Amino acid sequence: MFRRTRKRGGADIHIGDASYDDWALVRDFDDLETALAFRDQLRDAGIKAVLTSDWELDRSRRGDIALRVEGADYGEAEVLLSGLDDD
């Protein structure tokens, strides 16, 4: 399995990195821009959050993107993001 972290404009997405497989999946996204916005909301609230994908994103920065948090933070992350989903 290949392992790469892509950094673009200070934003990280971990591609093919199995070290985050045991982190709790909070949301799935199709585009990087939306995923980054939700990830940043969690980070601003003090929650360690990462974006992962098993495959490289396409040229439009779209793909199967997972927003993950450490297991202990799942409940807090879900409450915070549920409030954002309602807006």
Side-chain angles (χ1 to χ4, degrees), residues 21-60:
D21 285 353
D22 61 340
W23 285 38
L25 174 65
V26 182
R27 295 280 190 291
D28 282 315
F29 298 96
D30 294 326
D31 68 282
L32 185 58
E33 184 177 343
T34 303
L36 288 170
F38 277 82
R39 187 211 57 191
D40 291 347
Q41 287 295 316
L42 293 179
R43 286 185 172 181
D44 289 347
I47 298 171
K48 189 173 181 181
V50 296
L51 297 175
T52 65
S53 181
D54 291 335
W55 310 104
E56 290 285 339
L57 304 182
D58 67 15
R59 290 181 184 156
S60 300

Side-chain angles (χ1 to χ4, degrees), residues 37-38 41 79-87:
F38 277 82
Q41 287 295 316
V79 168
L80 178 66
L81 294 183
S82 293
L84 294 175
D85 287 341
D86 293 340
D87 290 344

Side-chain angles (χ1 to χ4, degrees), residues 1-3 5 11-12 18 21 38 41 45 47 52-54 58 60 64 67 70 72 74 76:
M1 181 130 219
F2 59 169
R3 191 178 209 178
T5 299
D12 295 342
D21 285 353
F38 277 82
Q41 287 295 316
I47 298 171
T52 65
S53 181
D54 291 335
D58 67 15
S60 300
D64 184 19
L67 173 59
E70 292 180 322
Y74 175 79
E76 186 178 351

